[in-house]
Amino acid sequence: MIDLQLDIRNLKNFIGDKCLPRFQEEIVKCHQQLVNRTGKGNNFLGWIDLPENIDHDLIQRIQKEAERISKIAEVFVVIGIGGSYLGSRAILEALNDPFKQMEKEKRYPHIVFAGENLSEDYHSSLLGMLNQKDYAVAVISKSGTTTEPAVAFRLIKNHLGKKYGKENARSRIVAITDASRGALKKLADTEGYPCYVIPDDIGGRYSVLTPVGLLPVAVGGFDIVSLLDGARKMREAALHSSDCEQNPCALYAAVRNILFRNGKLVEILVAYEPNLLYMIEWWKQLFGESEGKDKKGIFPAGVTFTSDLHSMGQYIQDGMRTLFETVISVESPKRLLQIPNDPENLDGLNFLSGKRLSEVNKMAELGTTLAHVDGGVPNIRIHIPAVNENTLGQLIYFFEFACALSGYALGVNPFDQPGVEAYKNNMFALLGKPGYEKETETLRKRL
Ligand code: PA5
């Protein structure tokens, strides 16, 4: 049974009674295209059955690799960009204690990220920190040719070689890439790094439940079996029915498309737990890259409340009425913290004495939802009982399946990303990459 529930009560002022039943027929068609594998991009649907089909031996291999890494490394560097890092970062940040770094005794390596930007300051600072620590690295790239992680890997491989010697450095590197193609695969085979495969039929942003996400999460000391189990439960619900009343993925895909057609062009994913910030980032990539094409698509934005109520709150309450919100609402925190009584009550907060901080947070959530609905912002609520591996697995699969359905309802191919090539071509031309001579000349004239 899934624990995730979708609550659309706060859409009633925005979506007429007949809209959803009318849209149901469209969703049925999209669901059929997806499960019968007849829709656009149908050679990239390996993620659908992944939680069910994943090989038990692969899970064990990943767990053993994680154990080995924990023994040799205080820090684990995950090199990747886009779908090759956002999913693992989302899960790790959601589950990690934010102040864990301050503890002296740590059982699991501290995980850091590289190759998701080209900043000289960031990477110099990272290498400086790695001078002081024992570390290991996962280099992750499906294509094996993406510039940002390739550059970061060159820097870190060079650092590893100097620090440990070429031979010993090898045992500190794991590659996660295509089964046969790309420069990274060639490099890994030549150097003899342990290698994990990203299946051909799974695109980057749908790859979090492959070794791409599973290895870093296991190195972080979290339960990948429970994560996959959560995804498996959601898969059952997603495949079982295309009825919006029974399938939360279908319902979410339907209502966001209805809202879009009614002029709500921006969806803001909201969390009241700061550790879900990277879940929002992962979601932004999933929906942005999957739907933003052919001059179409809902613009995916994100905020964490209550912090952003003091920045974006004004706009959401009162700015252009082209927004709708989707709130990830978490029922129970992991810890207990009560607000103490203060006999002097100089801050006037004794009306909160004895209350849990989560109760105050919940009232902020409910109060904000009502205010935003009153201000003309439709509100969808995704309710999960707690943040743990299992609920995160459910949430991930929920968003993946809903995104695919939603992309089909929008009429796009949710599994390609032709738009990301434009910047790469310009960057290569400006850097003088061989083969780009003509573009180099044209672009330089424009600078
Ligand atoms: O979703 C996608 O396909 C992209 O965001 C990729 O994950 C990203 O561009 C990184 O690509 P690669 O893993 O090939 O380095």
Side-chain angles (χ1 to χ4, degrees):
M1 272 283 282
I2 53 170
D3 304 305
L4 180 151
Q5 285 165 7
L6 195 71
D7 178 352
I8 59 158
R9 271 174 297 177
N10 282 313
L11 294 183
K12 70 173 183 300
N13 297 346
F14 305 95
I15 293 185
D17 288 348
K18 295 202 179 104
C19 283
L20 192 55
R22 240 187 269 136
F23 209 87
Q24 178 63 59
E25 219 176 286
E26 258 188 73
I27 283 295
V28 170
K29 278 192 207 141
C30 299
H31 193 269
Q32 278 167 356
Q33 284 180 325
L34 196 58
V35 298
N36 298 335
R37 291 164 156 74
T38 52
K40 290 180 183 169
N42 57 1
N43 45 345
F44 281 102
L45 298 180
W47 58 272
I48 295 182
D49 294 329
L50 192 62
E52 198 60 48
N53 288 353
I54 190 161
D55 192 354
H56 186 66
D57 291 346
L58 175 63
I59 298 176
Q60 281 194 330
R61 201 183 141 212
I62 290 173
Q63 286 168 327
K64 282 202 182 119
E65 191 82 69
E67 237 176 86
R68 183 184 74 80
I69 290 166
S70 317
K71 287 192 187 125
I72 59 168
E74 299 164 89
V75 173
F76 186 53
V77 188
V78 176
I79 303 177
I81 196 164
S84 288
Y85 97 103
L86 279 166
S88 64
R89 187 159 191 177
I91 298 167
L92 286 161
E93 298 224 348
L95 296 174
N96 259 329
D97 180 330
F99 300 105
K100 186 176 140 198
Q101 295 97 307
M102 294 165 104
E103 289 168 22
K104 278 211 177 109
E105 289 288 317
K106 275 189 281 143
R107 247 189 89 198
Y108 302 103
H110 176 54
I111 300 183
V112 297
F113 295 86
E116 84 304 6
N117 65 67
L118 288 167
S119 161
E120 187 158 342
D121 284 343
Y122 181 92
H123 288 90
S124 304
S125 171
L126 172 64
L127 293 176
M129 183 271 284
L130 295 176
N131 282 335
Q132 319 297 325
K133 302 278 181 189
D134 273 320
Y135 72 100
V137 179
V139 52
I140 308 177
S141 176
K142 168 129 199 246
S143 62
T145 56
T146 308
T147 311
E148 292 90 334
V151 169
F153 185 52
R154 182 182 276 215
L155 290 167
I156 289 172
K157 188 169 153 260
N158 179 53
H159 185 271
L160 270 170
K162 285 189 182 144
K163 182 164 170 146
Y164 296 102
K166 205 168 175 232
E167 281 308 308
N168 292 335
R170 273 197 199 117
S171 65
R172 293 180 175 269
I173 298 171
V174 177
I176 305 178
T177 189
D178 188 85
S180 55
R181 279 169 303 204
L184 178 57
K185 175 66 185 160
K186 210 168 139 203
L187 181 63
D189 285 350
T190 313
E191 297 281 351
Y193 307 145
C195 213
Y196 291 83
V197 171
I198 309 172
D200 261 359
D201 56 357
I202 301 180
R205 59 192 173 276
Y206 289 84
S207 70
V208 50
L209 300 174
T210 71
V212 170
L214 297 179
L215 180 67
V217 170
V219 172
F222 299 107
D223 184 353
I224 56 174
V225 174
S226 177
L227 181 78
L228 287 163
D229 180 60
R232 192 185 48 72
K233 287 196 271 195
M234 185 56 73
R235 175 183 171 274
E236 264 171 39
L239 294 183
H240 175 71
S241 166
S242 53
D243 185 343
C244 289
E245 281 182 23
Q246 293 184 36
N247 178 346
C249 312
L251 180 58
Y252 180 49
V255 292
R256 60 197 300 284
N257 273 279
I258 295 170
L259 290 166
F260 182 59
R261 290 178 197 185
N262 289 346
K264 302 296 181 190
L265 309 179
V266 178
E267 177 176 12
I268 307 176
L269 190 66
V270 182
Y272 285 77
E273 294 294 335
N275 62 353
L276 293 179
L277 178 67
Y278 266 86
M279 191 48 79
I280 294 174
E281 292 303 309
W282 171 81
W283 171 90
K284 272 160 61 179
Q285 190 222 356
L286 179 67
F287 279 82
E289 250 181 24
S290 300
E291 292 194 322
K293 53 196 69 160
D294 308 336
K295 309 290 173 273
K296 297 181 192 172
I298 298 171
F299 184 84
V303 291
T304 49
F305 289 163
T306 61
S307 27
D308 287 335
L309 283 172
H310 299 260
S311 64
M312 297 303 288
Q314 170 61 37
Y315 190 108
I316 298 170
Q317 185 70 48
D318 214 17
M320 290 268 287
R321 301 297 74 191
T322 48
L323 316 172
F324 67 99
E325 281 180 320
T326 299
V327 177
I328 303 178
S329 177
V330 182
E331 194 174 302
S332 309
K334 295 185 194 105
R335 313 222 172 155
L336 183 140
L337 184 61
Q338 282 171 314
I339 298 173
N341 188 49
D342 181 347
E344 290 178 25
N345 196 26
L346 291 177
D347 53 11
L349 285 182
N350 271 357
F351 71 102
L352 298 178
S353 296
K355 286 197 195 306
R356 291 182 66 171
L357 197 52
S358 55
E359 190 184 336
V360 181
N361 202 17
K362 189 53 72 188
M363 292 311 122
E365 177 186 326
L366 298 177
T368 305
T369 298
L370 295 178
H372 287 181
V373 168
D374 292 345
V377 180
N379 187 286
I380 301 166
R381 187 160 165 258
I382 299 167
H383 175 273
I384 54 171
V387 175
N388 57 43
E389 288 91 330
N390 205 269
T391 55
L392 290 175
Q394 294 181 40
L395 195 60
I396 285 166
Y397 196 92
F398 164 78
F399 279 135
E400 288 180 344
F401 202 91
C403 182
L405 284 178
S406 184
Y408 281 165
L410 196 67
V412 300
N413 175 357
F415 307 109
D416 66 1
Q417 54 284 329
V420 294
E421 294 309 313
Y423 99 89
K424 289 187 196 166
N425 291 334
N426 284 356
M427 178 175 77
F428 291 148
L430 290 172
L431 286 167
K433 186 173 176 176
Y436 287 78
E437 291 75 10
K438 234 174 110 197
E439 291 89 338
T440 306
E441 209 190 308
T442 321
L443 288 179
R444 284 199 181 146
K445 277 190 202 141
R446 286 177 56 198
L447 293 178

